Amino acid sequence: MYKYSEFDEFFVRRRVEEFRDQVRRRLDGSLTEDEFKPLRLKNGLYLQLHAYMLRVAIPYGTFDSRQMRQLADIADKWDKGYGHFTTRQNIQFNWPKLADVPAILDALADVDMHAIQTSGNCIRNVTADHFAGAAADEIADPRPTAELLRQWSTDHPEFQYLPRKFKIAVSGSSRDRAVTKAHDIGLRSIRDAGGSPGYEVLIGGGLGRTPMIGAVVREFLPESELLAYVESILRVYNLHGRRDNKYKARLKILVHETGIEKLSREIEAEFAERKKWFAGVDPELIEALKSAFKPPEFNLSRTGAFERRLEKDSGFRAWADTNLFEHRCSAYSIATVSLKPIGGTPGDASANQMRALADIAERLGHDEIRASHEQNIILPHIRKDDLPEAYDVLAASGLQTANFGLVSDIIACPGMDYCALATARSIPIAQEISRRFAALGIEREIGSMKIKISGCINACGHHHVGHIGILGLERAGVENYQITLGGDATETAALGDRAGRGFSADELIPALERLVEAYLRLRDSCRETFLEAYRRLGPEPFRAALYPETGKLAA
Amino acid sequence: MVKKFTAKVITTNRLLEGDAVYLTRDGIWSPEFGDAELFTDPAGASLALETANRQTLLHVGAYFADAETDPSGRPSPTHYRERLRSMGPSNYCHGKQAERANV
Amino acid sequence: MAVIVRDQGFSKDDLDGRSFIGMEDAEISEDLSLAIELPNHADLPALKTLLPKIGAIRINFPNFGDGRGFSIATKLRHMGYAGRLRASGHVIADQYALARRSGFDEIEIDDELAARQPENQWISGKDWKSGSYQDRLLKTELAPTR
């Protein structure tokens, strides 16, 4: 894992002092609220409905036991004993006080962490495949690239006041687990015909009010030219992105309004100019970043403990069945720890749960932890024969939910229970769906199912790319939920189709039940997933299930 | 047609604490919606909002929230957003609902 | 009266009395040390032939959240412009380091802002030369002189 350099340490401490001073200057009137707001946002601090909210960066989702324990201590000391893992591979604290925030930032700096650029109209925390460095299907570890981009984008003087936020995701596998096609820039590690490393570059993806799938702007970008090229994209965006309407200010709108060919020419022209002044990043620095993410030394021995436990414990078997993923090393597994207990708040972990996860990672997991954009925690390197022991620790902390990828493994933004932008609640909907399908006992029969819920059009809950997406809106003074169908967040990314009129909170769960029943009835075998069935059959039979009254009217 | 003025209270979040507060008849900020002064005429409401927004070091900027009188005669929010804001989240007993329970 | 902020602190405008002219006027002027005013959406390639006879450029920030001026400054420096570069309008003390690092030499602010954010807020702790990620990563860059 990457360890802070002296400069990182110096920079982060200086930034904490700068923010402490900014808080002081807000309190003495030197800064107006309008001026202070973007400054606090660039340090991760929002003001929500009930309190401030601090969004802490977990760059590319990678952290360790020491950092996790510090997050737990922060939750206990300055918050209400828990944290919320988000779809941006960050963690949020919902209850800090403004005056405490500089001290919290200092506590983060103590363990090489920060909250810089987790919000605001700047380049946000760079995200990456949460199975990076562990997945059997990986071509290149995306984290050296993500770390390079983190450093380059941090406090970049040109790009702190962009038209709107700017998100970059990196994937190093043919399987896209980083939703790269829904980011302003999506990077995919590839090699050219001669075997040189580089990237396929996509731009203009994004969800929100006008969802768009990213388009390829460069089929192959040599690795050494990454920063000059990304800088060119950002410069074109900073100068030409719309600033007259915040809903039209993302790069995707510039791509849409200019056209990808024309914009691509503008970027290439800027790139040609940029390269005159750019001698490339020091290759030694690139190598140092790569070696920082070298895989740990794996213990290849087997004792058979894994198989013995599988045989005698159905609970463990169920967990192993859903929550494990193939590791590059056959003696190991990637374990997903579900933060979606039945009826719980998606993504929340108590301080004690964080400590349990830290203990497992330290003792059994080469001290590596990942936060996934699906709001779960990943233990990327657990030896198969240590899984029974890890599972027992998880179970003792209520973290053994065996539902990864199932209907109750729901992504949900905080919604109007916390968020000042929300138009409806998300969490109670997620809780109810999870309880209802657990009570029906058909989760495993349904199989792979991604339900994603957003409490407003900004789509933090990624509803457009859920197999079933749910968008909470206000209609005539009450909460109303629109359903989209057939979305996909992977390498076969697709935006869901809106099914029809929205549902009230009371109508929603029965409607989803009808939808799932229809799928179970219509699928051609128990191996055909909901998404596959939807792609084969089209929306009509599913719409008919959602809106039985229209079927009757037509008949 | 003159649109009927909906009764309002003035609310904001405190700068230091971040919690939601409501302007009372005495001109102080209370954490309870029910303590707020209910404005029923537009001119009085606008004037009070203007005055409140001069206190730039106390809060982050005040705004109107629609309200009605509850059976006990105290103002209560008409919109679910302000209702949630005046209580706390629905997934945990945190925020104002917890503070009330602790009194 | 405008206040000029430089690394040394606040000062009076030594270009006061000189008028900053627009690009169209600059094209026909025979002055060999022009002071020109650029909007933050200026077409820079059109400026290229004029650069040798420009001594000062002022770029307006309509509000501090509009960061186009930072890219304009960077591009001007990349085009080889080595004269004075001034940001004016709504730029706050917290942006001083960004402005200097993007290629500006100085910032012109009004009296109200100068009173609200006095000199020490602009210079204290704003050691913009003390190092940045960009300097470290792009240190092989052929930085234009100024």
Side-chain angles (χ1 to χ4, degrees):
Chain A
M1 264 180 65
Y2 180 77
K3 298 283 177 217
Y4 267 17
S5 66
E6 265 178 45
F7 181 76
D8 289 312
E9 166 78 19
F10 161 78
F11 178 85
V12 169
R13 295 286 178 192
R14 184 176 65 181
R15 181 72 172 230
V16 175
E17 281 318 307
E18 186 185 14
F19 186 64
R20 185 170 273 128
D21 184 53
Q22 286 164 341
V23 171
R24 210 177 293 134
R25 288 167 53 236
R26 170 67 183 93
L27 296 176
D28 74 14
S30 299
L31 287 166
T32 65
E33 182 62 20
D34 284 348
E35 289 168 345
F36 180 61
K37 187 176 171 186
L39 302 174
R40 69 164 155 77
L41 289 175
K42 277 184 221 308
N43 289 289
L45 191 64
Y46 284 75
L47 182 56
Q48 299 290 28
L49 286 183
H50 316 295
Y52 284 97
M53 178 272 276
L54 183 67
R55 182 182 290 163
V56 175
I58 302 172
Y60 34 92
T62 293
F63 57 137
D64 63 17
S65 61
R66 185 175 70 119
Q67 294 171 322
M68 183 68 117
R69 285 195 187 102
Q70 187 78 326
L71 294 173
D73 289 351
I74 289 170
D76 274 340
K77 184 166 179 192
W78 287 292
D79 209 85
K80 295 190 188 292
Y82 75 104
H84 175 74
F85 289 93
T86 79
T87 54
R88 297 277 312 145
Q89 297 182 302
N90 295 312
I91 181 171
Q92 295 177 178
F93 295 107
N94 286 325
W95 303 94
K97 303 269 193 289
L98 179 61
D100 291 335
V101 172
I104 300 174
L105 297 178
D106 260 330
L108 290 170
D110 289 344
V111 294
D112 297 2
M113 292 185 92
H114 62 73
I116 298 165
Q117 289 176 218
T118 55
S119 178
N121 293 335
C122 52
I123 302 167
R124 300 287 187 87
N125 183 34
V126 178
T127 54
D129 186 343
H130 44 256
F131 289 169
D137 54 37
E138 185 168 276
I139 300 159
D141 191 330
R143 292 173 301 166
T145 299
E147 174 59 25
L148 181 67
L149 288 168
R150 178 191 78 84
Q151 296 190 16
W152 162 81
S153 62
T154 299
D155 204 30
H156 194 300
E158 245 186 288
F159 307 131
Q160 294 302 307
Y161 293 86
L162 296 170
R164 197 76 176 86
K165 60 187 167 185
F166 198 95
K167 300 177 181 176
I168 305 178
V170 194
S171 163
S173 166
S174 54
R175 300 271 305 272
D176 186 357
R177 286 174 288 259
V179 211
T180 55
K181 292 182 181 176
H183 284 73
D184 294 280
I185 297 180
L187 297 170
R188 202 161 66 78
S189 290
I190 51 171
R191 285 180 182 273
D192 70 1
S196 304
Y199 309 94
E200 178 187 58
V201 185
L202 289 90
I203 61 168
L207 301 176
R209 178 165 296 215
T210 318
M212 306 244 185
I213 297 292
V216 175
V217 67
R218 234 329 169 102
E219 280 170 8
F220 183 80
L221 177 73
E223 188 182 72
S224 60
E225 297 185 343
L226 178 70
L227 294 187
Y229 192 79
V230 170
E231 198 157 294
S232 304
I233 297 173
L234 260 302
R235 186 164 301 137
V236 168
Y237 171 61
N238 191 33
L239 288 170
H240 302 295
R242 286 181 62 172
R243 290 175 187 265
D244 58 332
N245 178 341
K246 82 173 219 181
Y247 295 110
K248 294 186 175 176
R250 292 284 295 273
L251 176 63
K252 61 190 174 185
I253 302 295
L254 185 65
V255 172
H256 180 70
E257 290 181 352
T258 313
I260 185 74
E261 287 80 20
K262 180 157 183 265
L263 196 66
S264 160
R265 284 196 298 276
E266 286 174 22
I267 293 167
E268 291 293 337
E270 190 63 50
F271 182 49
E273 281 300 307
R274 183 71 190 98
K275 274 202 290 189
K276 291 180 192 164
W277 296 91
F278 184 81
V281 178
D282 186 352
E284 268 179 44
L285 207 144
I286 301 272
E287 280 316 305
L289 284 179
K290 285 185 180 168
S291 69
F293 293 101
K294 272 220 289 279
E297 290 205 7
F298 295 119
N299 172 357
L300 304 180
S301 66
R302 294 295 318 266
T303 65
F306 176 64
E307 285 76 11
R308 283 197 295 280
R309 183 70 178 264
L310 275 182
E311 236 165 76
K312 64 174 195 194
D313 180 347
S314 61
F316 180 74
R317 200 157 56 232
W319 181 77
D321 185 41
T322 44
N323 290 38
L324 299 182
F325 191 86
E326 192 186 358
H327 196 277
R328 61 205 278 181
C329 169
S330 65
Y332 277 71
S333 275
I334 302 171
T336 295
V337 178
S338 167
L339 297 183
K340 321 287 175 66
I342 301 305
T345 301
D348 277 10
S350 71
N352 285 336
Q353 287 178 326
M354 292 184 215
R355 291 187 186 102
L357 288 163
D359 288 346
I360 300 173
E362 187 178 32
R363 217 150 44 79
L364 307 169
H366 297 276
D367 208 12
E368 279 201 38
I369 309 172
R370 308 287 167 73
S372 81
H373 78 268
E374 296 177 313
Q375 299 180 285
N376 289 315
I377 293 294
I378 314 289
L379 297 167
H381 311 296
I382 309 282
R383 198 169 67 108
K384 281 193 172 122
D385 293 321
D386 289 332
L387 283 165
E389 194 183 341
Y391 178 78
D392 290 338
V393 180
L394 292 175
S397 302
L399 289 167
Q400 80 286 21
T401 315
N403 66 346
F404 175 65
L406 302 183
V407 67
S408 58
D409 183 12
I410 298 167
I411 288 186
C413 72
M416 202 184 268
D417 284 304
Y418 297 91
C419 179
L421 300 172
T423 44
R425 282 174 290 178
S426 309
I427 292 168
I429 300 298
Q431 290 175 307
E432 232 182 299
I433 294 171
S434 139
R435 277 196 210 104
R436 182 63 191 147
F437 284 98
L440 289 172
I442 55 171
E443 275 212 87
R444 281 173 189 266
E445 197 186 336
I446 300 166
S448 167
M449 171 69 90
K450 305 273 187 191
I451 295 185
K452 302 183 197 263
I453 310 174
S454 304
C456 82
I457 197 80
N458 291 316
C460 296
H462 295 186
H463 65 277
H464 299 107
V465 292
H467 300 171
I468 298 175
I470 299 171
L471 166 62
L473 296 170
E474 172 188 335
R475 194 155 161 262
V478 291
E479 290 160 296
N480 187 271
Y481 296 89
Q482 271 181 13
I483 292 180
T484 49
L485 297 171
D488 177 0
T490 69
E491 60 281 359
T492 47
L495 301 171
D497 311 309
R498 205 181 132 188
R501 69 164 178 88
F503 295 91
S504 71
D506 291 342
E507 296 170 326
L508 181 63
I509 309 300
L512 292 172
E513 241 182 279
R514 291 196 299 276
L515 182 67
V516 169
E517 278 164 15
Y519 152 66
L520 293 175
R521 201 170 58 241
L522 292 164
R523 67 182 177 184
D524 64 7
S525 81
C526 62
R527 273 191 300 277
E528 189 179 49
T529 65
F530 176 85
L531 186 62
E532 287 161 354
Y534 181 83
R535 284 181 172 165
R536 178 172 59 85
L537 295 163
E540 282 324 312
F542 298 97
R543 278 190 183 140
L546 283 172
Y547 306 103
E549 70 280 6
T550 45
K552 270 183 227 137
L553 282 177
Chain B
M1 196 181 86
V2 181
K3 223 173 136 193
K4 194 170 168 291
F5 180 74
T6 314
K8 288 174 175 34
V9 303
I10 291 175
T11 180
T12 184
N13 289 64
R14 286 195 286 191
L15 177 60
L16 266 174
E17 294 80 4
D19 60 338
V21 285
Y22 306 89
L23 188 65
T24 69
R25 200 170 286 280
D26 308 328
I28 59 161
W29 297 97
S30 164
E32 290 297 324
F33 199 107
D35 293 345
E37 175 173 12
L38 190 69
F39 292 94
T40 50
D41 78 294
S46 299
L47 189 67
L49 184 66
E50 217 173 280
T51 309
N53 271 333
R54 270 186 233 120
Q55 304 175 332
T56 54
L57 299 185
L58 287 183
H59 60 76
V60 300
Y63 64 93
F64 291 127
D66 288 352
E68 59 193 5
T69 311
D70 73 7
S72 71
R74 285 153 58 95
S76 74
T78 58
H79 193 278
Y80 62 89
R81 180 182 195 270
E82 289 301 328
R83 199 172 58 242
L84 278 164
R85 192 165 160 269
S86 71
M87 289 177 54
S90 41
N91 61 332
Y92 302 119
C93 183
H94 286 161
K96 296 188 189 300
Q97 56 198 342
E99 283 152 29
R100 265 171 235 149
N102 286 337
V103 171
Chain C
M1 273 287 287
V3 171
I4 305 299
V5 190
R6 303 181 63 97
D7 287 354
Q8 300 79 3
F10 283 1
S11 61
K12 283 210 177 77
D13 189 356
D14 59 345
L15 292 175
D16 227 15
R18 288 205 48 182
S19 51
F20 284 84
I21 59 174
M23 260 169 73
E24 299 77 18
D25 295 331
E27 273 162 34
I28 50 171
S29 168
E30 288 175 12
D31 190 340
L32 287 179
S33 181
L34 292 168
I36 72 162
E37 171 96 43
L38 284 185
N40 69 358
H41 51 81
D43 177 27
L44 294 185
L47 195 69
K48 192 143 197 161
T49 53
L50 283 177
L51 281 184
K53 56 176 187 169
I54 296 176
I57 297 178
R58 182 166 72 179
I59 296 166
N60 181 48
F61 281 68
N63 72 70
F64 83 109
D66 183 342
R68 281 178 285 186
F70 298 115
S71 279
I72 295 273
T74 306
K75 277 177 78 82
L76 280 170
R77 293 303 188 196
H78 282 181
M79 284 166 71
Y81 175 68
R84 251 165 103 164
L85 198 48
R86 174 185 291 187
S88 75
H90 191 195
V91 179
I92 62 175
D94 307 80
Q95 293 176 310
Y96 183 74
L98 299 179
R100 292 291 280 124
R101 290 168 54 214
S102 301
F104 285 106
D105 298 302
E106 59 196 26
I107 297 173
E108 179 182 326
I109 58 173
D110 63 25
D111 290 339
E112 183 277 323
L113 185 62
R116 188 157 57 81
Q117 299 180 353
E119 188 176 45
N120 66 343
Q121 297 194 7
W122 293 79
I123 54 174
S124 73
K126 301 291 182 292
D127 187 5
W128 63 275
K129 280 184 242 175
S130 64
S132 71
Y133 282 108
Q134 293 73 37
D135 289 347
R136 288 166 53 80
L137 290 174
L138 314 173
K139 63 183 166 193
T140 46
E141 185 170 22
L142 314 160
T145 51
R146 60 175 179 269

